[in-house]
Amino acid sequence: MSAPLPPRVFDSPALLGAELAREIADGIAEAAGAGWRYVLGCPGGRSPKPVYEALAELTAERRLDLRHVVIAMMDEYVLPDPDAPGGFHDVDHGAHNSCHRFAAEEIVAPLDAAAGPGRGIPADAVWFPDPADPEAHERRLVDCGGVDLFILACGASDGHIAFNPPGTDRHSTSRIVELADTTRVDNMGTFPGFASLDEVPRHGVTVGVETIVAHSRRAVMIVHGAHKREAVRRLTAAHGYDPAWPATLVTECADAALYVDRASVGEDAA
């Protein structure tokens, strides 16, 4: 049984993001000096945005070269398609809710601009699980030696992580899943372009719990905002993986940490 993770509390999401971005920037620089690839596991959505923004600032400030960086994304919405291999295809990559669009516009473009011409992340170094062959994502992570640091985020209402719903098996790997309605409601806040719940896709391709636990050398769960107080309560009480709140997988990750802001623990910022 794992010990509960002690939270590291920050006065604001911006300060949380800046601290984690510094660690990532240090890792990118160290890997470049050693001639290694640096693999960063990334979620989409609101929670990691302070990290991505701070990382772009540090990339420009430190003049980081990102040509050895890989962005390993966690999931994507998919739609049923009887003619597609596996029976599903990705949503349009230009759609407001596409994780491909999020990665391109919210992660890669700012980092590339900060790094400068010819020093950005290669186009073939942004990885997603593929609905035609989800297990290929597992094999690629194994072949590259794993994820140097996995940024993790937790669903507010049900503790989903990536698209893994409550009840997910501890040994699950990359696969197609049916999204829980609680997850779909949370996603309406993540992607405000949805006019109603009916517009939120019902399926996604996602990494699994085992994917994250087995393939990450460092994992940092980031939680901020008063709407995440239940998430913090659950995460700080967990002694191991609880399928009722999948984000508790962080307790079983190597070199794991929990970064939270004061609002999420019910404190006023100093």
Side-chain angles (χ1 to χ4, degrees), residues 11 229 262-263 265-270:
D11 284 343
R229 289 179 184 174
R262 293 198 181 281
V265 293
E267 299 178 8
D268 293 328

Side-chain angles (χ1 to χ4, degrees), residues 21-103:
R22 278 192 289 272
E23 178 178 345
I24 295 167
D26 289 346
I28 289 172
E30 180 181 358
W36 303 331
R37 173 184 275 173
Y38 185 87
V39 182
L40 180 64
C42 294
R46 294 168 287 178
S47 293
K49 283 188 176 183
V51 182
Y52 301 147
E53 290 166 359
L55 184 58
E57 293 175 2
L58 285 174
T59 297
E61 178 184 313
R62 299 189 186 182
R63 300 182 57 81
L64 294 176
D65 189 324
L66 305 180
R67 285 176 289 180
H68 64 301
V69 173
V70 171
I71 301 296
M73 298 296 292
M74 302 179 79
D75 50 24
E76 179 59 287
Y77 288 105
V78 297
L79 300 173
D81 180 354
D83 297 324
F88 290 86
H89 68 255
D90 286 348
V91 296
D92 187 324
H93 291 176
H96 73 96
N97 62 305
S98 169
C99 297
H100 280 78
R101 180 207 60 77
F102 183 95

Side-chain angles (χ1 to χ4, degrees), residues 128-163:
F128 280 86
D130 182 350
D133 185 9
E135 283 295 323
H137 197 57
E138 301 286 320
R139 295 192 294 271
R140 183 159 52 182
L141 293 177
V142 170
D143 290 346
C144 77
V147 177
D148 290 278
L149 189 148
F150 225 131
I151 304 169
L152 303 177
C154 173
S157 65
D158 62 2
H160 69 267
I161 187 162
F163 279 148

Side-chain angles (χ1 to χ4, degrees), residues 84-213:
F88 290 86
H89 68 255
D90 286 348
V91 296
D92 187 324
H93 291 176
H96 73 96
N97 62 305
S98 169
C99 297
H100 280 78
R101 180 207 60 77
F102 183 95
E105 296 181 5
E106 304 285 348
I107 304 175
V108 176
L111 289 175
D112 283 358
R119 295 164 57 88
I121 297 167
D124 62 355
V126 183
W127 298 348
F128 280 86
D130 182 350
D133 185 9
E135 283 295 323
H137 197 57
E138 301 286 320
R139 295 192 294 271
R140 183 159 52 182
L141 293 177
V142 170
D143 290 346
C144 77
V147 177
D148 290 278
L149 189 148
F150 225 131
I151 304 169
L152 303 177
C154 173
S157 65
D158 62 2
H160 69 267
I161 187 162
F163 279 148
N164 293 285
T168 295
D169 186 86
R170 165 64 178 78
H171 300 291
S172 59
T173 56
S174 298
R175 68 210 187 282
I176 303 287
V177 297
E178 183 174 356
L179 305 183
D181 284 345
T182 46
T183 300
R184 295 171 65 232
V185 170
D186 281 351
N187 291 166
M188 290 183 69
T190 301
F191 298 104
F194 289 126
S196 70
L197 186 61
D198 289 340
E199 295 184 2
V200 183
R202 296 182 177 275
H203 296 87
V205 60
T206 183
V207 298
V209 170
E210 177 69 8
T211 311
I212 298 168
V213 174

Side-chain angles (χ1 to χ4, degrees), residues 226-247:
H227 66 299
K228 293 287 185 81
R229 289 179 184 174
E230 176 64 10
V232 171
R233 187 190 71 79
R234 294 262 196 158
L235 291 167
T236 55
H239 287 267
Y241 179 64
D242 178 0
W245 199 265

